[in-house]
Amino acid sequence: MKPTRSTYSDYQYFCMRLQPLLEIAYEPATIPSILDRLFAVIGENLYIPTGYENPNKWTENNVTLITYGDSIYSRHTDRKPLEVLAKFLGENLKDTITGVHILPFFPYTSDDGFAVSDYLSVNPQLGDWEDIKTIARQFNLMVDVVLNHVSSKHDWFQQFQAGKKPGCDYFIVVEPGKNLSEVVRPRNSPVLVKVETVDGEKHVWATFSEDQIDVNFANPDVLIEFLKIIRFYIVSAKARYIRLDAVGFLWKEIGTSCIHLPPTHAIIKLLRELVNMIDPEVAVITETNVPNRENLSYFGNRNEAHMIYNFSLPPLLLNAMLQGKSDHLRTWMMSMPPAPLGCAYFNFTASHDGIGLRPAEGLLSDEEYQSLLTTMEKFGGKISMRKKPDGSESPYEINISLFDAMKGTVKGEDTWQIQRFICSQTLMMSLEGIPAFYIHSLLATPNDYERLQQTGMNRSINRYKWQIEDLQKDLEDPHSPRSLVFREICRRIKIRRQQGAFHPNATQYTLQLKRSLFGFWRQSMTRDQSIFCIFNLTDKPQQLNLRDVNLICIDPWLDLISGEMITDIYSKYILQPYQAVWITNKF
């Protein structure tokens, strides 16, 4: 049931919510016109009172898969990749995952989809909108809004070069002599790109590459354009999650770092308000691959992102598994605040990008940081660099299949790869937040050296494309790494989804155990279930003193993963190498 309508008129309420945010980014004289235009875009989809928002958009049942539209394809049939993906998901994961993040499925010119040339079309090589809607009918769909930049082949930029409206006003032109030394760079490419226009040579802002030209949100027309795009994704494509890609770089002011600026945060808050007006069940997630403190700022005051990526988790978890000790992971967890009411962490260990290193800044010792890089290179990984404001370079991310990243420890390769990998995924899905699995983690995909060689892009090493017939054959082989990992992780996901203590906002408390173990306590929102999540991070059996866990003697206890009953809470419990336990009082 919808809440009672506000006593304000629709438009008055609309203005009351949005005007303070617009005032942070735009000139006062322009704001009445901007409000009129925003109101017109939402039109018949406007939902008032806009103050209503469901703070319980998720439960312990929510689990997300991250995939490209063509991560699985068929070379033996005429079926498009999105059809193949929909069939695979329906047959293998319908009872396991609840959401699917399909990475940019639009026409594009580079960066595997993140240089979008048409936001309102589906790449015909992948399928069409009906294929997207088929997946959205079965799973909660997450759609990328690549709003910092467009492809150099997008109509807007073609209009810019031709001096035609509206695109001629959508981009940032900078004289090449300007001092841009303070600008934070995620890449080594120049921040300015020289292009030819009808008015001669110009230099335009390009944060990521010469084919990804930044749009100018200081022009409110750009804001209006992206609201139209977001509205289409929610209303027509039935998206349940709107992912704001690279949003931290949105606003540019020469003389500043051009990242996390106040107008950027104001526009995210504005978009959250507008999304809530279109459909209060839709969530906004920000992608900001930056140090932890900066990343946390995107929750705002419960009024910005509904979800933020837990970017510090992948490098810290990987380091803990390689070192066999929990020191830094435990210190980090103890410093992490609970997500605000109505917000959640989006937990992951791998993605289409590499394992970001900036989120680990200040969280690892110099020695362990260097050991992490050296070990990853030994296991076939690549290290991508970024240029700092002073002109020097520093590691930006590790590019490697996470499965191959777990083929050993800092001591070298060993025979524990599968157990170590499953332990890492179990730890991730136990944490406060919503778990997300990159498809190549779920499938234990190794490094793709062939694709790396073909593209020359380090990130290609973890973007393998499975031929469906080969994949099915592998999954049917009970002894293949793919089958072993896929079946066990899916089994644990299904167990997890039934536990109230794994609600994304359920209480989490770090346990003080010996460094070879990592553990924390989760308690359900109703306080009727506790789960003690404990992990052996080493290749040796480890003894756990159950007194350290503080089990209550009046309750029976069970490890949900193994099914083993805990009959003596004062005994010693032996965890085998890389064993994970979920010890609960409610089963």
Side-chain angles (χ1 to χ4, degrees), residues 35 54 165 168 181 183-184 243 257 267 271 289 303 307 309 331 367 400 505 520 527 546:
L35 286 168
N54 179 10
K165 296 278 186 181
C168 64
S181 61
V183 176
V184 169
R243 178 183 183 269
S257 64
I267 287 175
L271 291 176
N289 190 354
N303 60 349
M307 298 189 293
Y309 280 78
T331 299
E367 181 181 355
I400 193 170
N505 301 111
F520 48 92
R527 300 187 178 183
L546 290 174

Side-chain angles (χ1 to χ4, degrees), residues 105 249 329 445:
F105 48 79
F249 299 96
L329 193 60
T445 307

Side-chain angles (χ1 to χ4, degrees), residues 406-532:
M406 299 279 182
K407 64 170 59 174
T409 68
V410 291
K411 296 179 291 186
E413 295 187 27
D414 58 27
T415 60
W416 295 101
Q417 182 180 18
I418 291 176
Q419 294 90 336
R420 183 182 296 113
F421 183 77
I422 292 174
C423 178
S424 73
Q425 300 308 288
T426 308
L427 194 160
M428 180 274 287
M429 75 172 89
S430 307
L431 293 167
E432 175 196 348
I434 296 170
F437 294 86
Y438 184 39
I439 193 167
H440 293 306
S441 295
L442 209 55
L443 298 174
T445 307
N447 290 332
D448 186 354
Y449 297 113
E450 183 177 348
R451 184 168 169 79
L452 172 64
Q453 186 174 17
Q454 289 173 350
T455 68
M457 294 172 49
N458 286 349
R459 287 177 169 178
S460 296
I461 200 170
N462 193 28
R463 296 178 179 178
Y464 184 75
K465 299 180 188 300
W466 276 102
Q467 202 274 334
I468 185 63
E469 288 80 9
D470 294 342
L471 178 57
Q472 288 174 330
K473 183 178 179 181
D474 240 14
L475 291 177
E476 289 167 3
D477 177 359
H479 304 294
S480 77
R482 254 129 318 280
S483 178
L484 292 169
V485 169
F486 184 78
R487 285 186 287 112
E488 182 59 20
I489 291 180
C490 287
R491 184 183 78 87
R492 296 187 186 193
I493 290 173
K494 291 175 183 176
I495 294 172
R496 180 204 184 278
R497 287 178 56 182
Q498 299 175 43
Q499 316 307 319
F502 284 139
H503 186 285
N505 301 111
T507 296
Q508 179 172 284
Y509 180 81
T510 310
L511 300 177
Q512 301 302 311
L513 306 173
K514 59 183 179 180
R515 66 190 329 198
S516 57
L517 301 176
F518 181 63
F520 48 92
W521 169 61
R522 303 294 308 278
Q523 185 184 53
S524 62
M525 311 283 275
T526 54
R527 300 187 178 183
D528 62 337
Q529 184 186 33
S530 289
I531 299 180
F532 291 91

Side-chain angles (χ1 to χ4, degrees), residues 91-117:
E91 291 178 351
N92 296 276
L93 291 168
K94 191 172 184 180
D95 298 327
T96 306
I97 63 169
T98 58
V100 179
H101 172 202
I102 308 177
L103 291 154
F105 48 79
F106 318 106
Y108 72 98
T109 53
S110 64
D111 200 15
D112 280 355
F114 285 90
V116 179
S117 56

Side-chain angles (χ1 to χ4, degrees), residues 205-380:
W205 201 293
T207 298
F208 289 89
S209 78
E210 63 181 11
D211 187 43
Q212 294 166 289
I213 313 299
D214 289 34
V215 292
N216 185 11
F217 267 85
N219 179 351
D221 293 350
V222 172
L223 173 66
I224 301 295
E225 294 279 13
F226 276 99
L227 176 59
K228 292 176 182 176
I229 291 166
I230 291 171
R231 177 188 174 278
F232 176 82
Y233 294 161
I234 295 173
V235 176
S236 298
K238 307 303 180 186
R240 298 291 86 193
Y241 300 101
I242 297 297
R243 178 183 183 269
L244 303 182
D245 176 69
V247 70
F249 299 96
L250 191 75
W251 197 270
K252 282 78 177 178
E253 290 180 12
I254 294 176
T256 74
S257 64
C258 296
I259 188 170
H260 316 318
L261 298 183
T264 293
H265 286 284
I267 287 175
I268 297 171
K269 293 170 184 175
L270 180 78
L271 291 176
R272 172 170 168 156
E273 288 282 356
L274 291 164
V275 165
N276 187 48
M277 293 174 189
I278 298 169
D279 187 336
E281 300 303 318
V282 174
V284 172
I285 178 169
T286 51
E287 187 265 336
T288 49
N289 190 354
V290 293
N292 197 48
R293 185 183 297 271
E294 298 172 30
N295 190 37
L296 289 170
S297 71
Y298 283 85
F299 277 139
N301 185 22
R302 293 178 49 208
N303 60 349
E304 203 161 334
H306 294 98
M307 298 189 293
I308 63 171
Y309 280 78
N310 211 342
F311 272 111
S312 294
L313 175 61
L316 290 177
L317 177 54
L318 176 60
N319 182 71
M321 304 304 297
L322 297 178
Q323 295 283 348
K325 56 186 182 181
S326 59
D327 306 44
H328 300 302
L329 193 60
R330 183 171 62 245
T331 299
W332 166 75
M333 177 179 274
M334 291 174 64
S335 71
M336 286 291 282
L341 178 66
C343 301
Y345 292 109
F346 192 70
N347 295 324
F348 70 110
T349 54
S351 73
H352 62 291
D353 289 340
I355 298 169
L357 292 169
R358 289 207 68 209
E361 289 179 6
L363 301 177
L364 293 177
S365 67
D366 292 342
E367 181 181 355
E368 288 190 20
Y369 183 85
Q370 190 55 51
S371 177
L372 174 63
L373 300 183
T374 301
T375 304
M376 290 299 93
E377 289 181 311
K378 287 180 180 177
F379 293 168

Side-chain angles (χ1 to χ4, degrees), residues 56-126:
N56 303 304
K57 289 182 170 68
W58 40 72
T59 69
E60 60 275 9
N61 197 43
N62 289 80
V63 179
T64 300
L65 178 76
I66 304 168
T67 180
Y68 278 103
D70 59 354
S71 290
I72 303 175
Y73 72 101
S74 174
R75 62 171 175 260
H76 300 307
T77 71
D78 294 331
R79 289 182 299 156
K80 292 293 182 71
L82 285 170
E83 292 182 71
V84 177
L85 177 64
K87 188 171 188 294
F88 177 82
L89 296 176
E91 291 178 351
N92 296 276
L93 291 168
K94 191 172 184 180
D95 298 327
T96 306
I97 63 169
T98 58
V100 179
H101 172 202
I102 308 177
L103 291 154
F105 48 79
F106 318 106
Y108 72 98
T109 53
S110 64
D111 200 15
D112 280 355
F114 285 90
V116 179
S117 56
D118 183 355
Y119 289 88
L120 300 180
S121 298
V122 175
N123 181 351
Q125 294 182 347
L126 297 179

Side-chain angles (χ1 to χ4, degrees), residues 182-202:
E182 295 301 312
V183 176
V184 169
R185 304 290 292 117
R187 299 284 187 275
N188 278 345
S189 57
V191 69
L192 297 182
V193 173
K194 182 172 64 177
V195 298
E196 295 297 330
T197 76
V198 292
D199 298 319
E201 185 181 275
K202 293 186 178 182

